[in-house]
Amino acid sequence: MKYVYRGGEGEIVEKKSRFIATVRPIGTEEEALAFLGEMKKKYWNATHNCFAYVAGENYELQRCSDDGEPQGTAGRPMLDVLLGEGVHDTAVVVTRYFGGTLLGTGGLVRAYSKAVQEGLRQSTVIDKEEGVLLGIATDYTGIGKIQYLLGKEGIHTADSEYTENVELKVLVPLGRLEGLKETITEATSGKARFMGEKPVSFAFLEGEPLIFSAEDKE
């Protein structure tokens, strides 16, 4: 599932009206409302501060507001962009400074939608996957086989420790855990030992892993 790892700010201009979209990751409605209050304080002199936010694995929480724009021209289109992009636990505020020219209903819908899209483009969005941080212990004769298998399967090694034996911690997608363990056991004739399975969610950012514990709401 997609999440905003780092929020961003994007801006578009339509007929001299400025639309500034600020995106922020949130976990609760209280966080979303605090973020909205922060933006209203920052942009206190703006014509409008419209917002939309979603939270929950199945988007159980969805809220939006036109903040004085014609009904259905701001908040709902903003919310539709968040849902369409598939991002979870995300809030966006689009601040408008009126430029003197009316945009019309269709123009407003397009402008607020484009602003949110630009805000998301300026944010860091990651794709989280549920999995397990699996510990593997082996002797030095088995490490080559295990590393070959991990590379072949596209399994990332998060940590390694070389002492009398070798201990690895690898990130395994949830549905592939049992198959990987069977493959490693067979390849090492049962010599490899599995040392704990920690439930995590993980993502990759510029090739580097981001690991979140099961309780982490980020």
Side-chain angles (χ1 to χ4, degrees):
M1 293 189 293
K2 292 182 180 179
Y3 291 85
V4 173
Y5 181 62
R6 281 194 292 265
E9 182 182 291
E11 180 176 338
I12 67 167
V13 178
E14 293 287 341
K15 295 182 179 179
K16 298 183 180 180
S17 278
R18 294 175 62 204
F19 294 84
I20 305 165
T22 308
V23 178
R24 182 80 56 85
I26 54 103
T28 64
E29 186 160 29
E30 288 74 19
E31 290 178 7
L33 294 175
F35 167 54
L36 174 60
E38 179 187 330
M39 291 299 99
K40 284 186 173 182
K41 185 176 180 180
K42 179 178 179 180
Y43 296 112
W44 60 272
N45 60 340
T47 315
H48 304 279
N49 282 294
C50 306
F51 71 83
Y53 55 88
V54 293
E57 185 173 338
N58 296 306
Y59 303 109
E60 292 86 354
L61 177 64
Q62 301 180 23
R63 298 284 188 274
C64 61
S65 169
D66 297 312
D67 192 36
E69 293 282 29
Q71 185 175 359
T73 61
R76 185 67 220 189
M78 292 166 60
L79 182 62
D80 286 343
V81 172
L82 295 181
L83 295 172
E85 293 291 336
V87 292
H88 291 71
D89 296 353
T90 300
V92 58
V93 174
V94 175
T95 301
R96 182 188 182 189
Y97 286 93
F98 182 55
T101 303
L102 296 175
L103 300 183
T105 300
L108 286 172
V109 170
R110 287 190 294 273
Y112 278 100
S113 299
K114 283 173 59 179
V116 176
Q117 290 167 349
E118 183 61 25
L120 288 172
R121 273 194 289 269
Q122 299 303 321
S123 303
T124 301
V125 179
I126 59 174
D127 198 352
K128 278 189 187 179
E129 186 171 2
E130 296 303 311
V132 170
L133 190 62
L134 174 66
I136 305 172
T138 184
D139 57 25
Y140 281 85
T141 61
I143 187 60
K145 289 180 181 179
I146 292 175
Q147 288 177 327
Y148 170 77
L149 286 172
L150 294 176
K152 184 180 178 181
E153 296 290 330
I155 301 297
H156 185 89
T157 300
D159 193 15
S160 58
E161 184 177 343
Y162 291 79
T163 54
E164 292 182 0
N165 293 305
V166 183
E167 295 183 7
L168 305 176
K169 289 185 178 178
V170 299
L171 286 169
V172 188
L174 207 52
R176 298 175 62 189
L177 178 62
E178 293 307 318
L180 180 68
K181 288 169 68 176
E182 289 176 9
T183 300
I184 291 174
T185 298
E186 183 179 341
T188 61
S189 301
K191 292 181 179 178
R193 293 179 293 115
F194 302 107
M195 304 174 61
E197 301 170 7
K198 180 182 178 182
V200 296
S201 56
F202 63 93
F204 291 92
L205 180 60
E206 297 178 352
E208 294 299 316
L210 301 170
I211 303 173
F212 307 90
S213 69
E215 298 81 18
D216 207 322
K217 296 295 185 181
E218 292 186 324

